[in-house]
Amino acid sequence: MLVGVPKEIKVQEYRVGLVPENVRELVSRGHEVMVEAGAGIGISATDQHYLAAGATIVHSAQALFKSAELIVKVKEPQAIERQWLQSGQMLFTYLHLAPDPQQAIDLIDSGASCIAYETVTGRGGLPLLAPMSEVAGRLAVQAGAYFLEKAHGGLGILLGGIPGVEPAMVTVIGGGVVGVHAIDVALGMGANVTVLDRNIDVLHKLQKQFGHRLHTVSSTVDAIEQCCVMADLVIGAVLIAGASAPKLITREIVSRMKSGSVIVDVAIDQGGCCETAHPTTHDAPTYLVDGVIHYCVANMPGSVPRTSTYALNNATLPYVIALADKGLQALRDDENLRNGLNIHQGKVTNLPVATALGFAFHAPAEVLGML
């Protein structure tokens, strides 16, 4: 199969869909790999590294999109890239379609088979979302600590405090992968951390993992309000696979938070869990609402592209190999990979996406001719 790896063009996105080592794996199995010139420069992988791995370097993104049978990316295809997609192609990348109707419409019109990393299932979770959630959870605390500094508009609080001075109060909403890694870093920095989750089993697990340094609270409207209002840093770590994030932090709650406090909405890829959140970029990562700093960068892991790319590639390689080896048959053979199919030949095949955007839902097994 001819596999294409374009250079990412989203603002300050430096990750790449395949590292040279994984290109070599594909080539060793008889596949051809085209890599756009400069695609790996953000992770210090030069065109020479890709050539040495057996790839062909192309200098036109449009030509790559027109030729490749399987396109492997990191971020959702941008508007110009969506114009180049064609029927019969497979696209394997993060999509986050629920809050992005125009992208969904363009992908439907393309006729391509679009497989989203974030809805592939397995090992009791979302194995292709997990590595980026780990990175984002850790970065969320770093970003929060940075913007709590007075020079950056914050309250002027050191996250961990010092002896005799209270540390910052951190509220984490959601005890999933993002939440666990945010908690780990925040506690490690000495912060006073509270986590909210509606699943009591999750709270038990977190208490066992982190001990009594971590405060666990059952998530209710009242509890979210109280914990956000008293917090110096709030990290939104809510996820419903494929669906728009619920708006748990209301505009009214934001209006009552401390001036100079910080919200890091890691759920912004799925529309955000804060009513006052809208996507930002690494170029302009924050804005103010009622004196509260909002950090809502939609590709947080892109700021540490080398770590993020290798973590992502470790997880995606088996699926890329399966798709290259077997094409759409890989989806028929593997239910977990099939759950990643969001759009196929003009039809929406993920129920949460269809529900969020008001499109008709078609079961993946149905559109793949399995029924």
Side-chain angles (χ1 to χ4, degrees):
M1 182 173 286
L2 182 54
V3 181
V5 183
K7 183 177 182 179
E8 298 293 328
I9 59 174
K10 192 179 179 88
V11 175
Q12 290 207 21
E13 180 53 70
Y14 303 110
R15 291 172 289 180
V16 62
L18 288 175
V19 297
E21 295 89 337
N22 287 0
V23 168
R24 186 177 179 186
E25 286 289 324
L26 288 167
V27 172
S28 73
R29 299 176 73 90
H31 301 294
E32 297 178 66
V33 182
M34 298 190 323
V35 178
E36 185 180 353
I41 199 68
I43 64 164
S44 303
T46 66
D47 292 347
Q48 283 302 122
H49 288 122
Y50 282 104
L51 286 169
T56 300
I57 301 298
V58 297
H59 293 272
S60 166
Q62 183 174 5
L64 184 148
F65 271 83
K66 291 294 183 183
S67 302
E69 298 168 89
L70 168 63
I71 296 167
V72 181
K73 281 176 45 61
V74 178
K75 290 305 292 178
E76 70 280 357
Q78 303 301 289
I80 186 64
E81 295 173 316
R82 300 196 294 267
Q83 294 177 22
W84 298 332
L85 284 168
Q86 303 166 81
S87 179
Q89 286 181 317
M90 293 184 291
L91 172 68
F92 195 32
T93 189
Y94 288 115
L95 292 175
H96 299 293
L97 290 173
D100 193 350
Q102 188 57 58
Q103 184 195 174
I105 291 168
D106 291 347
L107 295 182
I108 289 168
D109 290 344
S110 76
S113 300
C114 305
I115 306 156
Y117 293 155
E118 71 271 13
T119 61
V120 172
T121 56
R123 302 194 301 273
L126 304 170
L128 306 190
L129 184 62
M132 295 305 93
S133 296
E134 292 169 3
V135 173
R138 291 174 176 272
L139 283 174
V141 180
Q142 292 183 195
Y146 179 83
F147 285 104
L148 278 173
E149 296 176 16
K150 196 66 175 177
H152 309 300
L155 280 161
I157 291 178
L158 181 64
L159 202 69
I162 61 168
V165 180
E166 282 286 319
M169 301 185 73
V170 176
T171 292
V172 179
I173 303 177
V177 177
V178 171
V180 166
H181 285 265
I183 291 164
D184 189 27
V185 172
L187 286 175
M189 294 177 72
N192 186 331
V193 184
T194 298
V195 61
L196 298 99
D197 200 286
R198 61 184 181 182
N199 187 327
I200 298 300
D201 290 337
V202 167
L203 296 180
H204 277 291
K205 182 180 176 181
L206 292 172
Q207 190 79 81
K208 185 176 181 180
Q209 180 176 353
F210 293 106
H212 292 289
R213 295 182 300 154
L214 175 66
H215 307 286
T216 59
V217 176
S218 181
S219 183
T220 63
V221 172
D222 188 68
I224 291 170
E225 179 180 312
Q226 289 187 39
C227 291
C228 287
V229 169
M230 72 179 185
D232 304 304
L233 168 61
V234 175
I235 296 173
V238 179
L239 173 70
I240 301 175
S244 295
K247 303 297 184 186
L248 302 180
I249 306 170
T250 65
R251 184 175 296 273
E252 194 274 333
I253 288 174
V254 173
S255 72
R256 293 176 54 203
M257 290 176 62
K258 304 170 189 175
S259 181
S261 60
V262 178
I263 295 172
V264 178
D265 195 340
V266 185
I268 196 64
D269 263 338
Q270 295 293 138
C273 62
C274 178
E275 275 189 342
T276 50
H278 62 74
T280 60
T281 67
H282 290 293
D283 280 343
T286 64
Y287 59 92
L288 286 174
V289 176
D290 294 328
V292 177
I293 299 169
H294 289 54
Y295 180 98
C296 306
V297 175
N299 62 328
M300 288 175 64
S303 66
V304 287
R306 188 171 176 84
T307 298
S308 298
T309 295
Y310 276 91
L312 179 61
N313 269 246
N314 288 342
T316 58
L317 179 60
Y319 301 94
V320 174
I321 289 173
L323 289 168
D325 283 352
K326 300 191 286 186
L328 292 176
Q329 187 61 38
L331 301 175
R332 299 185 184 99
D333 292 346
D334 184 346
E335 181 182 3
N336 288 318
L337 182 56
R338 190 163 65 245
N339 288 335
L341 187 65
N342 278 210
I343 292 174
H344 177 68
Q345 297 179 353
K347 296 177 179 178
V348 177
T349 55
N350 179 274
L351 181 57
V353 169
T355 301
L357 297 178
F359 291 113
F361 167 68
H362 300 268
E366 170 199 333
V367 300
L368 291 168
M370 298 172 63
L371 299 179

